[in-house]
Amino acid sequence: MVIQAAVLLGMTAAAIGLGWVSGQYLYGRESAAKVEVAAGEGHEAPAKAEGDHGKASAGLEVPLPPITTNLAAPSDMWVRMEASVVFDAAQPQSLVDDIHQDLLAFLRTVKVHQIEGASGFQHLKADLEERAKIRSEGHVKQVLIRTLLFE
């Protein structure tokens, strides 16, 4: 009984210690990031102070018209997606329309089990970006999904 109590006490102390160390590590990283951003605001342009978001908006963001279509399976399930594409430079409207139609055609082939969960969403986003990059011959840098609704 004494051995079990000692093991339980030791494991509890180890869990508390590891939790405290993890918290200090994560808090230290968060405060260091805040200091870097605060220091960067005085010396850099605002787009660079935003971190990754500034990099994503460094290109030209063009909103696509909303896409509403049914999925491949089940065919009675509808999807509505509002998205934008980020180009490296200004592109003609015909290219934006071609990308929109290509993404619409792709969504019609998707089955609901392919996009379930967070990893399914990531795969969908990667597939949409790949199709947009192929259609634009590499001018699309990113596809931003603003809303994704299923009915």
Side-chain angles (χ1 to χ4, degrees):
M1 195 69 144
V2 174
I3 295 174
Q4 288 179 343
V7 169
L8 180 63
L9 184 61
M11 290 182 68
T12 302
I16 291 171
L18 285 174
W20 182 81
V21 168
S22 298
Q24 292 300 317
Y25 174 74
L26 293 174
Y27 180 74
R29 288 186 62 186
E30 179 181 305
S31 61
K34 287 180 183 176
V35 169
E36 288 176 9
V37 169
E41 286 176 355
H43 302 292
E44 296 180 0
K48 292 184 179 178
E50 293 176 6
D52 290 336
H53 299 294
K55 292 177 187 172
S57 6
L60 178 65
E61 181 179 338
V62 178
L64 296 175
I67 296 172
T68 304
T69 186
N70 59 329
L71 297 177
S75 61
D76 61 341
M77 180 173 276
W78 287 80
V79 62
R80 176 180 166 93
M81 181 177 76
E82 294 179 13
S84 298
V85 291
V86 178
F87 289 106
D88 57 357
Q91 300 296 323
Q93 183 63 34
S94 62
L95 179 61
V96 175
D97 294 338
D98 289 344
I99 291 172
H100 177 264
Q101 290 302 315
D102 200 28
L103 297 183
L104 171 68
F106 175 74
L107 279 177
R108 293 183 62 99
T109 65
V110 173
K111 297 178 178 145
V112 72
H113 69 84
Q114 294 173 320
I115 50 178
E116 288 179 341
S119 62
F121 177 76
Q122 287 176 339
H123 291 300
L124 173 68
K125 187 172 185 306
D127 290 341
L128 292 173
E129 283 182 357
E130 181 181 353
R131 291 184 72 93
K133 285 178 183 178
I134 290 170
R135 176 64 67 176
S136 69
E137 298 175 351
H139 292 291
V140 169
K141 297 302 174 197
Q142 191 174 15
V143 173
L144 306 172
I145 298 176
R146 303 210 176 268
T147 59
L148 186 63
L149 301 171
F150 296 96
E151 183 180 305

